[in-house]
Amino acid sequence: SSVRAQDRHVLESLFDELKRASDFSLDGNPRRFAELVEEIARSGDPAIVPRLLGFFDDQTSFPDAMFAIVHAVEQFDDTVYLTGLFSMIEETWAASPEWLMVLHYRILNSPDTMKRYREMVGRLSRRQKVALRDLLVRIKNNEPEFSVRCTVLIKAMSRFSFF
């Protein structure tokens, strides 16, 4: 138990440092940010997934730093990754829709992750489903090649009392 508390303390320190490194106007911070994301991901703690999503920034001049988050959350088992993603869907859609769409393009291109998504999406809250539906409709309208896959996911949501 004391080891766990110590691990949590280390993780909190890393998140504090990540917050400081998220000021990309300071030289070296984008690289340090990506290193910290990787270090945090190595903890394997599922609780980091939603926390990392909170660092997405659509206005960034350093997409490589944001891709560090993408790669970190995708390292997790699909259930862990998607649970964390769904828990932050409304906040991420409001704060960083472009990066949320990047995650969704990658999900739509991964048959295994898409299958798990389809299985889980029916259990989401109405508000989560509304945010996801808005996101999937935007992707469907902007990228015709994803139309069928987006429709499949939207139907999976609506089968479970969407409205």
Side-chain angles (χ1 to χ4, degrees):
S1 173
S2 64
V3 173
R4 284 186 127 163
Q6 185 179 2
D7 287 347
R8 275 195 301 276
H9 179 71
V10 168
L11 207 48
E12 288 311 311
S13 297
L14 289 171
F15 269 106
D16 289 344
E17 195 177 340
L18 186 65
K19 180 72 178 148
R20 289 189 297 275
S22 69
D23 178 358
F24 295 160
S25 68
L26 299 177
D27 198 36
N29 272 5
R31 186 182 69 254
R32 182 66 185 137
F33 181 92
E35 291 167 354
L36 286 163
V37 168
E38 290 173 22
E39 191 172 345
I40 288 168
R42 281 195 293 273
S43 74
D45 183 346
I48 71 163
V49 173
R51 290 184 71 184
L52 286 175
L53 297 177
F55 283 90
F56 273 140
D57 178 5
D58 284 357
Q59 309 311 315
T60 190
S61 302
F62 298 93
D64 288 353
M66 297 298 105
F67 269 109
I69 296 171
V70 172
H71 297 141
V73 299
E74 287 179 343
Q75 289 174 24
F76 285 87
D77 164 86
D78 284 343
T79 300
V80 170
Y81 164 45
L82 294 172
T83 299
L85 177 64
F86 293 147
S87 75
M88 285 292 288
I89 203 73
E90 294 166 88
E91 296 87 345
T92 310
W93 181 233
S96 191
E98 296 302 319
W99 283 103
L100 186 59
M101 288 196 300
V102 167
L103 289 178
H104 275 75
Y105 288 129
R106 295 167 69 91
I107 290 166
L108 291 165
N109 277 321
S110 169
D112 290 343
T113 307
M114 207 178 126
K115 179 178 188 281
R116 188 70 189 116
Y117 188 112
R118 196 171 60 246
E119 293 165 358
M120 294 173 69
V121 79
R123 297 193 295 263
L124 300 180
S125 74
R126 183 183 185 285
R127 289 173 50 167
Q128 289 170 316
K129 288 177 184 178
V130 168
L132 280 174
R133 186 181 155 283
D134 289 348
L135 166 77
L136 291 167
V137 166
R138 182 181 294 181
I139 292 172
K140 180 179 172 175
N141 290 340
N142 291 347
E143 305 287 341
E145 76 251 35
F146 291 112
S147 181
V148 170
R149 285 171 269 181
C150 287
T151 299
V152 164
L153 295 178
I154 291 167
K155 284 183 179 173
M157 278 189 278
S158 57
R159 275 205 322 267
F160 298 95
S161 64
F162 183 59
F163 289 107

